[in-house]
């Protein structure tokens, strides 16, 4: 059974639409989720024709189609309208085209709107959709919006008020594309389908949790946007805290949208409130400087295009959250995210407490904590580190890794994140999207950190491109008696491909030198 639906994409000429949205819709088409009874209206300011738009869509598909006919048949469902989001007349034309396509393709008045535009236009578009009766209450009507959802609690609340004048909360789908990734969703399976882990998933057995969203690239051509955002707003307020909520939630009453969401919201509501002094100690900001790794030189952030002179924008953020529930009270949830780090990777490490008191001391010193690692990208899978006996006459312990990664065929056949999220929207399932209460709670916390950073109440640490961030991030974990489990920089240093950095004590602003230069 395929869905009867009309998609309208605002920002249809943009990079996201071409890289992600059109290929994801094609995957749904190829799998039969959408077939004959669907159409897509693309809107943007550019004066494209339908024929030109169809070719843009076909080009975006790459080698996904089996043949040219399949690609052309899919693209024939796409229509284009040059559109100014502030012009009422353009919405009247959009309404006319919508009605024609609803009749032609028998979409039963079901509508999905995707706002792939700057957030400042979200409210304007939503209000026009209502005033020009494009949203008319016939069939299902759902709104998908991209991050960022506001730049602070104040702006997020204003935006939410504008959207809810047209759409109810259960019609609004705030995308966090990481929630659509296969291995993020697999956290539910790891936790709740394995008694081995679920019974140990609490403060009695878990020492700490580490969440890494790490990028090897710099700001590339996004300097203008990034310099007004930074790592904390770009990655922590949304992706990091969303993953944390899945890791820290209590077991839902059932695996349904309502029950899962209720437990996620509880996590956000129980994020431990930290004092200003705690925030200053527990949240580290950094900015990359020039560096060299594996024979390649990289410029510093201040030398990148479209970056303000003497910018103090954070390209690295690290810190620790606490979830004040019976399950996880006092367990540190560490996070680390940044640009121009050693390797690209998104992974979660669950570090369990050590078992001591059975072996005599010279054996127990070799006991390593059990660590469950969940790999999200670029590879997907799990590993579990356990202690075993080293081969030989003596009784010596050695850590052993049980490792599983998806093979290429499995990865190729798994739904791409946006395909999965489109599918959820069509089914009216908002489990893998951000609810307003989650957004509100996360901004409430992050705003306090942003204020302290904007007022330069803490140092802006620097780190050479190619390293895993400033020393202050490592010192933070050391202050809790632990360390980062993922250390890709060591591999490079051992082979002379990355300089060893000096101890960083933090430097006052303005920052203009690399305090790790050796």
């Amino acid at each position: 059974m395929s869905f009867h639906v009309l998609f309208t994409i605002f920002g249809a000429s943009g990079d996201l639409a071409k890289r992600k949205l059109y290929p994801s819709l094609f995957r749904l088409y190829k799998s039969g989720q959408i077939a004959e009874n669907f159409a897509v209206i693309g809107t943007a300011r550019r004066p494209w024709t339908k024929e030109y738009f169809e070719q843009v869509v076909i080009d975006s598909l790459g080698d996904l189609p089996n043949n040219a006919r399949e690609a052309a048949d899919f693209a024939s469902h796409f229509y284009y309208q040059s559109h100014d989001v502030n012009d009422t007349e353009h919405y009247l034309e959009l309404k006319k085209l919508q009605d024609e396509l609803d009749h032609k393709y028998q979409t039963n008045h079901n509508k999905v709107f995707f706002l792939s535009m700057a957030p400042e236009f979200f409210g304007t578009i939503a209000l026009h959709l209502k005033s020009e009766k494009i949203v008319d209450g016939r069939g299902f009507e759902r709104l998908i919006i991209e991050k960022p959802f506001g730049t602070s609690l104040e702006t997020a609340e204003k935006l939410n008020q504008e959207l809810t004048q047209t759409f109810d909360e259960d019609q609004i789908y705030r995308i966090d594309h990481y929630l659509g990734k296969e291995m993020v969703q697999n956290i539910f399976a790891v936790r709740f389908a394995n008694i081995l882990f679920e019974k140990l998933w609490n403060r009695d057995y878990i020492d700490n949790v580490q969440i890494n969203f790490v990028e090897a690239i710099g700001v590339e051509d996004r300097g203008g946007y990034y310099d007004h955002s930074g790592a904390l707003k770009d990655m922590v307020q949304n992706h990091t805290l969303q993953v944390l909520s899945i890791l820290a939630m209590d077991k839902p009453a059932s695996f349904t949208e309502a029950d899962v969401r209720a437990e996620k919201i509880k996590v956000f509501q129980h994020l431990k409130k930290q004092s200003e002094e705690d925030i200053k100690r527990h949240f580290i900001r950094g900015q990359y400087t020039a560096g060299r790794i594996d024979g390649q030189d990289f410029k510093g952030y201040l030398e990148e295009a479209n970056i303000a002179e003497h910018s103090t924008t954070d390209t690295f953020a690290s810190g620790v959250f606490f979830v004040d529930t019976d399950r996880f009270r006092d367990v540190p949830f560490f996070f680390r995210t940044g640009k121009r780090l050693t390797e690209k990777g998104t992974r979660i490490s669950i570090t369990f407490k050590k078992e001591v008191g059975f072996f005599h001391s010279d054996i127990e010193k070799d006991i390593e904590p059990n660590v469950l690692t969940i790999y999200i990208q670029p590879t997907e899978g799990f590993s579990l580190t356990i202690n075993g006996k080293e081969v030989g006459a003596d009784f010596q312990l050695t850590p052993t890794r049980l490792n599983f990664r998806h093979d290429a065929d499995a990865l190729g056949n798994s739904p791409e994140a946006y395909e999965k999220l489109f599918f959820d929207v069509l089914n009216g399932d908002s489990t893998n999207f951000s609810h307003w209460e989650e957004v509100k709670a996360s901004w409430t916390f992050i705003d306090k950190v942003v204020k302290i950073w904007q007022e330069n109440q803490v140092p802006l640490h620097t780190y050479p491109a190619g390293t895993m961030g400033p020393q202050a991030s490592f010192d933070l974990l050391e202050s809790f008696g632990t360390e980062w489990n993922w250390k890709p920089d060591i591999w490079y240093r051992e082979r002379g491909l990355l300089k060893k950095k000096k101890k960083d004590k933090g430097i006052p602003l303005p920052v203009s030198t690399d305090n790790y230069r050796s």
Side-chain angles (χ1 to χ4, degrees), residues 169-183:
E169 175 61 29
D170 62 4
Q171 295 176 295
I172 301 173
Y173 294 76
R174 301 173 188 84
I175 274 193
D176 185 323
H177 62 271
Y178 275 95
L179 296 183
K181 290 187 178 295
E182 191 72 19
M183 288 309 299

Side-chain angles (χ1 to χ4, degrees), residues 143-243:
L143 175 72
I144 308 174
I145 55 177
E146 276 283 342
K147 77 173 184 98
F149 195 83
T151 57
S152 64
L153 177 60
E154 180 181 2
T155 57
E157 287 181 325
K158 180 177 183 295
L159 175 56
N160 198 61
Q161 289 170 358
E162 292 174 339
L163 295 182
T164 52
Q165 290 183 48
T166 302
F167 297 92
D168 295 332
E169 175 61 29
D170 62 4
Q171 295 176 295
I172 301 173
Y173 294 76
R174 301 173 188 84
I175 274 193
D176 185 323
H177 62 271
Y178 275 95
L179 296 183
K181 290 187 178 295
E182 191 72 19
M183 288 309 299
V184 172
Q185 297 187 1
N186 224 321
I187 295 172
F188 289 106
V190 173
R191 285 197 57 183
F192 304 124
N194 297 285
I195 195 170
L196 169 67
F197 293 124
E198 177 53 19
K199 296 302 180 184
L200 304 179
W201 209 270
N202 57 64
R203 63 196 300 266
D204 294 332
Y205 299 100
I206 291 179
D207 181 81
N208 69 81
V209 177
Q210 301 178 16
I211 303 171
N212 291 273
F213 285 91
V214 172
E215 295 182 275
I217 62 171
V219 295
E220 306 299 301
D221 58 355
R222 298 175 69 227
Y225 161 77
Y226 196 88
D227 205 39
H228 291 89
S229 176
L232 186 70
K233 291 183 179 181
D234 191 47
M235 295 297 293
V236 181
Q237 181 271 329
N238 38 65
H239 305 322
T240 301
L241 282 170
Q242 281 292 326
V243 169

Side-chain angles (χ1 to χ4, degrees), residues 96-352:
K96 181 180 178 181
L97 178 58
Q98 171 187 283
D99 291 344
E100 291 174 359
L101 297 180
D102 175 72
H103 178 74
K104 179 176 181 177
Y105 291 97
Q106 296 296 295
T107 60
N108 298 338
H109 303 285
N110 295 325
K111 298 178 278 291
V112 171
F113 304 94
F114 195 113
L115 307 190
S116 180
M117 302 188 70
E120 57 261 33
F121 297 120
F122 290 177
T124 299
I125 294 170
L127 292 174
H128 275 292
L129 292 179
K130 181 179 181 179
S131 61
E132 272 56 75
K133 296 182 174 54
I134 295 171
V135 169
D136 55 15
R138 304 164 69 188
F140 66 69
E141 295 169 324
R142 292 159 189 164
L143 175 72
I144 308 174
I145 55 177
E146 276 283 342
K147 77 173 184 98
F149 195 83
T151 57
S152 64
L153 177 60
E154 180 181 2
T155 57
E157 287 181 325
K158 180 177 183 295
L159 175 56
N160 198 61
Q161 289 170 358
E162 292 174 339
L163 295 182
T164 52
Q165 290 183 48
T166 302
F167 297 92
D168 295 332
E169 175 61 29
D170 62 4
Q171 295 176 295
I172 301 173
Y173 294 76
R174 301 173 188 84
I175 274 193
D176 185 323
H177 62 271
Y178 275 95
L179 296 183
K181 290 187 178 295
E182 191 72 19
M183 288 309 299
V184 172
Q185 297 187 1
N186 224 321
I187 295 172
F188 289 106
V190 173
R191 285 197 57 183
F192 304 124
N194 297 285
I195 195 170
L196 169 67
F197 293 124
E198 177 53 19
K199 296 302 180 184
L200 304 179
W201 209 270
N202 57 64
R203 63 196 300 266
D204 294 332
Y205 299 100
I206 291 179
D207 181 81
N208 69 81
V209 177
Q210 301 178 16
I211 303 171
N212 291 273
F213 285 91
V214 172
E215 295 182 275
I217 62 171
V219 295
E220 306 299 301
D221 58 355
R222 298 175 69 227
Y225 161 77
Y226 196 88
D227 205 39
H228 291 89
S229 176
L232 186 70
K233 291 183 179 181
D234 191 47
M235 295 297 293
V236 181
Q237 181 271 329
N238 38 65
H239 305 322
T240 301
L241 282 170
Q242 281 292 326
V243 169
L244 182 151
S245 71
I246 299 174
L247 294 167
M249 69 165 66
D250 285 332
K251 186 175 182 179
S254 67
F255 191 47
T256 60
E257 173 189 347
D259 288 337
V260 170
R261 169 152 289 163
E263 294 302 334
K264 284 181 64 183
I265 290 174
K266 285 181 186 177
V267 171
F268 282 97
Q269 292 173 338
H270 285 84
L271 284 175
K272 184 178 179 180
K273 295 178 175 61
Q274 300 190 40
S275 67
E276 285 194 7
E277 290 306 311
D278 286 337
I279 290 174
K280 291 176 184 178
R281 289 197 311 271
H282 291 164
F283 290 82
I284 310 298
R285 62 175 180 159
Q287 188 183 92
Y288 66 83
T289 57
R292 181 180 179 83
I293 181 172
D294 199 11
Q296 188 171 0
D297 292 312
F298 295 101
K299 64 179 66 172
Y301 178 72
L302 296 179
E303 300 163 342
E304 300 278 15
N306 301 314
I307 302 301
E309 187 178 7
H310 305 307
S311 170
T312 60
T313 296
D314 48 293
T315 64
F316 176 94
S318 180
V320 57
F321 292 103
F322 297 92
V323 180
D324 205 9
T325 60
D326 290 340
R327 179 181 291 266
F328 274 119
R329 186 169 292 113
D330 298 327
V331 174
F333 284 76
F334 300 109
F335 71 87
R336 174 173 58 176
T337 185
K339 299 282 190 182
R340 276 283 179 251
L341 301 182
T342 309
E343 286 185 354
K344 172 185 175 68
T346 302
R347 62 174 64 184
I348 299 158
S349 296
I350 313 297
T351 305
F352 293 90

Side-chain angles (χ1 to χ4, degrees), residues 499-512:
K499 288 184 178 181
K500 185 176 182 179
K501 59 189 178 185
K502 294 182 179 179
K503 190 77 170 179
D504 167 38
K505 297 299 183 182
I507 55 180
L509 293 169
V511 179
S512 59

Side-chain angles (χ1 to χ4, degrees), residues 431-457:
T431 304
N432 297 309
F433 295 82
S434 302
H435 188 276
W436 165 242
E437 290 300 324
E438 300 168 31
V439 174
K440 180 180 178 181
S442 63
W443 270 125
T444 299
F445 190 106
I446 293 300
D447 268 359
K448 297 176 182 177
V449 183
V450 170
K451 180 177 183 294
I452 289 172
W453 286 12
Q454 286 181 340
E455 294 175 354
N456 292 322
Q457 296 184 44

